Amino acid sequence: MSLKLTILGCHSAMPSASTHTTSQLLEIKNHSFLIDCGEGTQVQLRKYKVKFSKIKHIFISHLHGDHVFGLIGLISTFRLLNRETELHVYGPVGIKEFICVQLKLSKSFADYPIKFHELSSKESELIYEDKKVKVYTIPLKHRIYTNGFLFQEKIGERKLNMDEINKHPEIDICDYQNLKNGKDFVRSNHNILSNELLTHAPLKPLSYAYCSDTAFKPEITEIIKNSDLLYHESTFLDDREDLAKKTKHSTAKQAAQIAKLANVGKLILGHYSGRYENLNDFKKEASTIFSNTYLAKEGETFIIP
Ligand SMILES: [Zn+2]
Ligand SMILES: [Zn+2]
């Protein structure tokens, strides 16, 4: 199955009549990971017909409002929908208090389990792993403690080459799993049929790197190297590079430099400042450095491969 990213919101600072702050939904290996949760995210989820019950893991980059103000509303709605499934929230230290204080003061509660995974490391760390997927943090450089997230598929099983297998009736269905695991087949006469002959290589594992918000930080390219898809914030254009530096954000050009240095497959820009009317200028600017650049737009999906 491919990797699918849906943009729910991609603007910085505050929502407007037609724009929302940051949130994305990543569908990968049967997971629906919610990444950041700006104000109005639950309305966007409804708009783009995402099943609330599919969201079991929420990754919050940092505690600025444009990335987290939608979380309390979503958590509250989960309860109204009689959610029973455990919810995992990954975010900076303070995320638990941020939610619990609001629940307490509004005399509200969540009657389903919420597990907070509070992050404080300045190094990249593995924060989620199952049989098929791993998630690492990408330490970013912002005004407050911030992480991006790297979502990586694990290498899958080898695929059976049935044309070849069918030529050897002594290979039983019970042997298939061993073949998928990479083992050779030993015939009754002790001859060996190599695994390469009986199987095809697994599909290339896909990866998605999410980087918002951050000043230009080339060190992250080591972590996100060769990712298939990169979202990198581009709050400003090059004309306000000074402001980007001051507020610890990036320009479209800098996002493209990161994409180029990391040799990613595709770059998505977003987290646009409200001062710019023509978003195509972001793409134009970044494309001079990294041609495979796209603009995040609400409702847009990116599917890899
Ligand atoms: Zn932001
Ligand atoms: Zn921020």
Side-chain angles (χ1 to χ4, degrees):
M1 197 195 111
S2 53
L3 174 159
K4 181 178 168 193
L5 182 74
T6 303
I7 307 296
L8 301 168
C10 53
H11 290 259
S12 69
M14 57 184 157
S16 73
S18 59
T19 61
H20 289 81
T21 51
T22 305
S23 186
Q24 304 182 352
L25 186 84
L26 177 69
E27 290 167 80
I28 180 171
K29 293 284 176 199
N30 269 334
H31 288 291
S32 294
F33 291 139
L34 188 68
I35 310 167
D36 277 339
C37 194
E39 196 177 334
T41 291
Q42 61 172 315
V43 180
Q44 295 295 87
L45 288 168
R46 292 236 188 258
K47 188 169 173 186
Y48 300 113
K49 304 199 174 357
V50 178
K51 262 193 167 176
F52 281 29
S53 59
K54 289 200 83 181
I55 298 170
K56 297 183 179 126
H57 302 268
I58 301 177
F59 297 85
I60 301 293
S61 62
H62 64 304
L63 295 179
H64 278 159
D66 56 336
H67 298 257
V68 75
F69 280 175
L71 186 56
I72 186 66
L74 185 60
I75 282 176
S76 169
T77 295
F78 281 154
R79 178 177 72 83
L80 298 174
L81 294 174
N82 300 318
R83 183 186 178 107
E84 290 177 358
T85 327
E86 193 171 63
L87 178 70
H88 292 264
V89 178
Y90 304 78
V93 166
I95 184 89
K96 183 176 179 183
E97 186 186 355
F98 179 81
I99 293 301
C100 289
V101 163
Q102 292 177 86
L103 288 175
K104 190 177 143 203
L105 293 179
S106 60
K107 300 250 181 300
S108 188
F109 58 93
D111 48 8
Y112 55 92
I114 307 180
K115 187 140 199 263
F116 291 94
H117 304 262
E118 295 201 308
L119 308 171
S120 58
S121 174
K122 288 184 176 146
E123 306 292 327
S124 175
E125 59 180 338
L126 179 68
I127 54 169
Y128 176 81
E129 181 173 21
D130 62 24
K131 278 185 185 165
K132 296 185 170 174
V133 184
K134 288 200 261 190
V135 184
Y136 293 90
T137 56
I138 308 167
L140 299 174
K141 187 176 167 186
H142 194 39
R143 301 195 301 281
I144 56 172
Y145 178 74
T146 304
N147 285 298
F149 301 103
L150 175 66
F151 302 86
Q152 265 184 347
E153 289 181 355
K154 288 185 177 177
I155 295 178
E157 297 175 328
R158 295 186 67 84
K159 307 279 169 215
L160 298 176
N161 178 352
M162 292 313 295
D163 289 342
E164 199 56 43
I165 288 172
N166 288 335
K167 293 180 193 167
H168 307 281
E170 61 186 306
I171 300 178
D172 192 83
I173 197 163
C174 305
D175 300 313
Y176 286 3
Q177 192 56 49
N178 279 339
L179 295 175
K180 286 182 186 174
N181 293 345
K183 290 195 177 138
D184 295 332
F185 181 79
V186 184
R187 305 182 72 170
S188 47
N189 63 6
H190 299 296
N191 282 350
I192 284 176
L193 293 171
S194 78
N195 189 269
E196 284 74 28
L197 178 74
L198 301 173
T199 64
H200 300 293
L203 295 174
K204 180 185 166 286
L206 302 173
S207 57
Y208 170 55
Y210 170 84
C211 299
S212 188
D213 299 358
T214 186
F216 182 60
K217 189 181 179 194
E219 294 87 341
I220 64 170
T221 56
E222 283 307 309
I223 305 167
I224 65 174
K225 218 168 194 63
N226 301 325
S227 292
D228 297 280
L229 188 61
L230 165 68
Y231 170 88
H232 194 290
E233 75 125 291
S234 56
T235 308
F236 300 103
L237 290 171
D238 197 42
D239 64 331
R240 294 318 312 263
E241 205 246 326
D242 57 328
L243 200 51
K245 199 171 177 184
K246 194 172 149 199
T247 56
K248 292 201 169 61
H249 283 295
S250 296
T251 66
K253 224 179 212 176
Q254 290 169 334
Q257 278 166 347
I258 296 289
K260 192 178 174 186
L261 282 169
N263 190 37
V264 302
K266 193 181 262 193
L267 168 67
I268 306 171
L269 301 173
H271 200 264
Y272 318 111
S273 158
R275 74 188 58 231
Y276 298 105
E277 276 178 17
N278 186 3
L279 297 184
N280 277 325
D281 291 341
F282 285 84
K283 185 173 170 172
K284 226 187 273 175
E285 188 176 293
S287 296
T288 60
I289 292 169
F290 187 82
S291 59
N292 209 9
T293 297
Y294 296 79
L295 293 176
K297 289 179 190 157
E298 289 181 18
E300 182 126 13
T301 56
F302 295 89
I303 297 174
I304 307 283

